[in-house]
Amino acid sequence: MSASRLTARRAGAVTALAAATVLLAAGAASAHVTVHPESYAKGATDGVLTFRVPNEEDTASTTKVQVFLPTDHPVLGVLVHPQDGWTAKVTTTKLKTPVKTDDGTITEAASEITFTGGKIGAGQYEDFNVAFGQLPDDTGQLVFKTLQSYSDGKVARWIEEPTGGDEPENPAPVLKLTAGDASAASAPAKTATATAARAADASDSTARGLGIAGLVVGVLGLAAAAFAIVRSRAARS
């Protein structure tokens, strides 16, 4: 094999590897289930949480989503927004420790929300909006373990809690609870939806940026290969 062909092949391999790495990073960054907004004030009232469920499979559709709500730090007054094509079932559980509120003592709270009947195709996502009456004020975060079932029988288990600074392989959606004015931090449905939309735009911008970076890497690789071939031919002549 000539030196020019070997140089060109190596340059092409480097280009393909770099582009593939960029694309895989973009896919990994947006594949898991997330909750928006990312944080609320402790004890916030009358807000909305949006669970974003992307489809990570190329040959199967998402047909069922199960979101598990913590009962040791319960979310009170859960209501599910109607979703076209989907049926939502809210399961309640008796609390080990009742919660005292201004309206009385709460002994039961939602522990699971199951969405069925709809379909999320390849390359698509679905937003599921859940309103709440009050968030707990005695913890720093809420972990919403989630199961995502596909039409081919596969189940993605988004149940791993974050530890330290590294994100787990199958992270559960996590809502941070911060110190602050709970009433000021509460977001009406329109505000929460707008926040989710901004998060989606930011995610899309990041994905587009990574895609452009991959194209630039590809062009530079091809240019390097072409330069190597011309240089080799010039050396032989």
Side-chain angles (χ1 to χ4, degrees):
M1 180 180 294
S2 67
S4 61
R5 290 184 179 178
L6 180 59
T7 302
R9 177 170 294 184
R10 288 178 178 174
V14 171
T15 300
L17 179 60
T21 301
V22 171
L23 293 177
L24 285 175
S30 59
H32 58 272
V33 178
T34 52
V35 61
H36 304 276
E38 297 180 352
S39 65
Y40 258 111
K42 293 181 178 180
T45 57
D46 300 327
V48 175
L49 299 175
T50 299
F51 293 92
R52 173 156 296 170
V53 183
N55 191 324
E56 62 173 3
E57 295 292 317
D58 295 329
T59 59
S61 300
T62 296
T63 56
K64 182 179 179 181
V65 177
Q66 296 167 268
V67 180
F68 296 90
L69 287 69
T71 54
D72 53 346
H73 303 286
V75 178
L76 305 181
V78 169
L79 295 173
V80 180
H81 187 276
Q83 195 82 358
D84 289 343
W86 293 88
T87 299
K89 177 184 177 182
V90 179
T91 301
T92 59
T93 298
K94 187 176 182 62
L95 299 176
K96 292 182 179 180
T97 304
V99 179
K100 294 182 179 180
T101 70
D102 294 338
D103 298 324
T105 300
I106 307 298
T107 59
E108 291 186 348
S111 58
E112 178 184 346
I113 305 175
T114 302
F115 300 92
T116 56
K119 181 176 69 173
I120 308 174
Q124 300 177 343
Y125 73 89
E126 191 81 63
D127 281 346
F128 298 95
N129 293 325
V130 177
F132 61 83
Q134 183 175 337
L135 296 178
D137 59 5
D138 57 351
T139 184
Q141 66 178 23
L142 295 176
V143 179
F144 299 98
K145 297 182 179 182
T146 303
L147 300 183
Q148 181 180 6
S149 300
Y150 288 90
S151 56
D152 60 0
K154 179 181 177 180
V155 178
R157 300 171 60 83
W158 308 109
I159 61 174
E160 297 180 13
E161 300 185 26
T163 55
D166 296 332
E167 184 178 74
E169 183 177 355
N170 301 296
V174 175
L175 177 70
K176 299 293 185 181
L177 296 181
T178 61
D181 186 349
S183 60
S186 299
K190 290 184 179 179
T191 303
T193 301
T195 302
R198 287 195 296 271
D201 291 341
S203 177
D204 291 343
S205 297
T206 301
R208 285 196 296 271
L210 290 172
I212 292 172
L215 292 176
V216 171
V217 170
V219 171
L220 291 176
L222 291 175
F227 176 76
I229 294 173
V230 172
R231 183 175 180 181
S232 177
R233 288 178 178 174
R236 289 201 305 271
S237 62

